[in-house]
């Protein structure tokens, strides 16, 4: 009898201990955590979010405490980059783990090769619950996701329409908040909690034309943003590519971008220089405002219009450049402030639900962006502000908190990294390398010295010439081709702002020779070639 009592007492005590261990902050862990040691994957990507506008990299422009949390509790990569700095190609590379000349999505126009196996498909096949909410930018029916709501094309900031499995739907509100609401609703109520999850949480912001929420619009329109040292770059010591690009803040930004109402321009006797200014106010985000929303935006729009009418007529060209820079950056940063707040909402949910401990959280952008450097906005170039992208990863108990890494990593590597973390077999035709050694602090096991880049979308908007190149920690060798044949070399250590092409400098002759050899090797490794260059040029030419 005594033995039975002792045995029962042991069983009860064991159950009590197991129950206590399965609780966190008074909440029982999800069934998924008890059933599987495989981690959840939360992939957060913004559109055109420059690393310069994340305070984990630099707090000169903005504070982003919630995005910074990912770095403080994980790893910050300072040399992360893309293979092709434009939206849809970057996303295709992330989804396939292949360069754009392999997956077909070389630019925003050429079709994606739909026979390619994508990351969500592999996770779904391996038993993960999968979902995608936000901006995909190409294709209306993503494969491998149990649930999705994606913006058509670029999508809208205000009262956006979404493509869903059940048809199109429009949701009233601000897009950054809505995408987060959808993500949290799926995580909390809709996902199969018996499975680990792979969630792609994809923001539209801060893509052009940078419409903030009304409260952030008002707040940031009153801020003075520091100017970059190269705002008035004259592109000397470089070739035709930099000189002929059409992304200058003074010359190529529209009044719509700067939120200057058409009537304000007409009132001071100026012509509406570009017909798109009126068109966008009549057709784009501003036109989507309902009366209540418009009443919230109108005071700030009126203040901008009044400032424009008062000062613009007497401004010098330099003053106009500065005025447009402020307007651009105020709205761009205001959009990011909303992204940061919403990332905080999701991180808090993970913490409060007990999911954080077994969830890898990734924050990145589909490429970098110019924030006035070289006088530019937009991206496309292999130059740093466009080529480099933010990359912050948190994975409790796996990644040591607060570490920084400067190895040459790319969006090409994301797919392999997530698959290895989830213990899913990696397809042999993927072209990147898993970042797992770096996440584990084993830098000695990482052997990549250089990355490869190739940009194709020319002739096209912004007129950035086709080019490819090789980038190491120390140097950058670039070949511009198609209607030019120009080479550039930049010393990334001595000239971090990339102001002087030293390709013809005799002092760099041995560097040039070595990088040419390595560039040829990379082209061969990644199956790129002059023949492919010609093929894509021919395909992009209009048919008569």
């Amino acid at each position: 009898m005594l033995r039975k009592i002792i045995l029962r007492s042991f069983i009860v005590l064991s159950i009590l201990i197991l129950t206590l261990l399965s609780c966190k902050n008074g909440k029982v862990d999800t069934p998924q955590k008890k059933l599987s040691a495989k981690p959840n994957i939360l992939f957060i990507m913004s559109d055109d979010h420059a690393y310069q506008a994340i305070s984990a990299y630099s707090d000169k422009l903005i504070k982003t405490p919630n995005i910074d949390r990912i770095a403080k509790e994980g790893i910050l990569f300072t040399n992360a980059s893309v293979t092709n700095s434009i939206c849809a190609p970057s996303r295709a590379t992330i989804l396939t783990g292949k360069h754009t000349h392999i997956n077909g999505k070389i630019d925003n126009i050429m079709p994606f090769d739909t026979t390619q196996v994508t990351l969500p498909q592999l996770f779904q096949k391996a038993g993960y619950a999968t979902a995608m909410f936000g901006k995909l930018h190409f294709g209306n029916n993503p494969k491998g996701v149990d649930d999705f709501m994606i913006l058509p094309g670029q999508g809208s900031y205000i009262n956006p329409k979404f493509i869903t499995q059940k048809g199109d739907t429009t949701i009233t509100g601000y897009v950054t908040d809505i995408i987060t609401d959808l993500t949290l609703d799926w995580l909390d109520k809709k996902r199969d909690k018996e499975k680990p999850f792979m969630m792609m949480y994809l923001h539209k912001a801060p893509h052009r034309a940078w419409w903030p929420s009304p409260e952030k619009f008002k707040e940031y329109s009153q801020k003075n943003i520091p100017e970059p040292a190269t705002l008035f770059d004259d592109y000397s010591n470089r070739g035709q590519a930099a000189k002929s690009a059409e992304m200058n803040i003074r010359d190529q930004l529209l009044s719509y971008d700067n939120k200057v109402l058409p009537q304000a321009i007409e009132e001071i006797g100026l012509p509406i220089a570009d017909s798109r200014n009126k068109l966008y106010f009549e057709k784009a985000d501003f036109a989507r405002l309902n009366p209540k929303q418009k009443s919230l935006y109108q005071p700030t729009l009126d203040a901008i219009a009044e400032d424009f009418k008062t000062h613009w007529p007497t401004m010098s060209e330099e003053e106009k450049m500065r005025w447009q820079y402020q307007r651009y950056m105020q709205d761009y940063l205001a959009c990011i402030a909303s992204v940061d707040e919403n990332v905080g909402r999701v991180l808090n949910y993970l913490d409060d639900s007990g999911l954080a401990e077994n969830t890898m959280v990734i924050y990145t952008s589909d490429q970098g962006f110019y924030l006035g450097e070289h006088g530019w906005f937009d991206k496309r170039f292999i130059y740093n502000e466009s080529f480099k992208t933010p990359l912050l990863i948190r994975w409790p108990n796996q990644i040591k908190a607060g570490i920084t890494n400067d190895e040459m990593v790319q969006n090409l590597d994301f797919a392999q990294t997530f698959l290895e973390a989830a213990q899913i077999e990696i397809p042999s035709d993927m072209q990147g390398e898993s970042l797992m050694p770096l996440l584990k602090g084993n830098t000695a096991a990482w052997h990549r010295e250089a990355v490869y880049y190739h940009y194709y979308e020319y002739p096209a908007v912004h007129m950035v010439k086709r080019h490819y190149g090789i980038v190491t920690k120390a140097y950058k060798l670039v070949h511009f081709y198609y209607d030019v044949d120009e080479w550039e070399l930049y010393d990334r250590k001595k000239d971090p702002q990339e102001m002087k092409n030293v390709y013809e400098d005799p002092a760099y002759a041995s560097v040039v020779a070595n990088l040419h050899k390595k560039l040829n090797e990379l082209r061969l490794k990644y199956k790129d070639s002059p023949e492919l260059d010609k093929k894509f040029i021919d395909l992009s030419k209009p048919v008569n």
Side-chain angles (χ1 to χ4, degrees), residues 60-72:
K60 180 180 178 181
L61 297 174
I62 191 173
K63 300 283 189 181
T64 52
N66 296 295
I67 297 171
D68 290 359
R69 270 183 61 190
I70 301 170
K72 288 178 181 176

Side-chain angles (χ1 to χ4, degrees), residues 135 137 151-158 160-161 175 204 208 285:
K135 182 176 179 180
H137 195 259
L151 299 165
Q154 293 290 359
S156 302
Y157 274 103
I158 299 160
K161 182 169 77 173
V175 69
K204 169 183 171 58
R208 190 181 188 186
D285 287 293

Side-chain angles (χ1 to χ4, degrees), residues 389-505:
T389 192
L391 180 59
L392 307 83
I393 304 178
R394 182 185 81 174
W395 190 9
N397 305 314
Q398 301 292 330
I399 299 175
K400 184 178 179 182
I403 60 175
T404 300
N405 186 281
D406 71 344
E407 294 300 320
M408 302 299 297
V409 304
Q410 285 191 297
N411 58 352
L412 185 70
D413 304 321
F414 293 174
Q416 291 94 316
T417 304
F418 306 156
L419 290 169
E420 183 176 344
Q423 304 159 48
I424 300 172
E425 184 178 355
I426 300 171
S428 60
D429 61 348
M430 285 188 171
Q431 295 183 303
E433 298 179 32
S434 171
L435 303 178
M436 286 295 286
L438 301 180
L439 301 185
K440 299 286 189 176
N442 186 12
T443 304
W446 184 260
H447 304 297
R448 180 190 285 160
E449 296 180 353
V451 295
Y452 180 64
Y453 180 91
H454 200 151
Y455 174 81
Y456 298 86
E457 193 168 293
Y458 177 90
V461 62
H462 298 305
M463 300 301 284
V464 172
K465 296 184 185 298
R466 295 178 187 231
H467 59 289
Y468 58 85
I470 180 173
V471 185
T472 70
K473 290 182 183 179
Y475 299 105
K476 182 176 295 182
L477 178 69
V478 192
H479 182 213
F480 292 95
Y481 67 98
Y482 180 76
D483 59 345
V484 292
D485 182 12
E486 296 181 341
W487 288 88
E488 295 182 353
L489 174 71
Y490 294 95
D491 187 324
R492 301 185 73 202
K493 302 290 186 181
K494 295 181 179 178
D495 180 24
Q497 294 177 330
E498 298 172 323
M499 298 292 285
K500 186 177 182 181
N501 173 20
V502 293
Y503 184 80
E504 300 292 346
D505 187 336

Side-chain angles (χ1 to χ4, degrees), residues 277-302:
N277 289 313
K278 271 192 174 180
L279 177 66
Y280 289 164
F281 273 106
E282 293 169 358
K283 301 290 185 182
D285 287 293
F286 179 75
R288 301 180 69 85
L289 296 168
N290 62 39
K292 182 178 179 181
Q293 291 169 329
K294 193 170 184 179
S295 70
L296 297 175
Y297 278 94
Q298 198 65 52
T300 306
L301 287 167
D302 289 343

Side-chain angles (χ1 to χ4, degrees), residues 48-50 52 85 210 228 230 247 249 325 328-329 332 367-388 453 464 467 476 497-498:
D48 293 344
H49 190 173
Q52 313 94 285
S85 184
W210 315 296
T230 61
M247 56 175 68
I249 288 173
Y325 168 78
Y328 159 47
M329 287 300 298
Y332 179 91
Q367 63 266 316
F369 213 68
Y370 292 103
L371 305 185
E373 298 90 358
H374 309 292
W376 289 333
F377 66 99
D378 208 70
K379 56 258 185 180
R380 302 167 195 265
F381 275 115
I382 196 173
Y383 305 138
N384 269 351
E385 293 82 9
S386 164
F387 166 74
K388 290 177 64 173
Y453 180 91
V464 172
H467 59 289
K476 182 176 295 182
Q497 294 177 330
E498 298 172 323

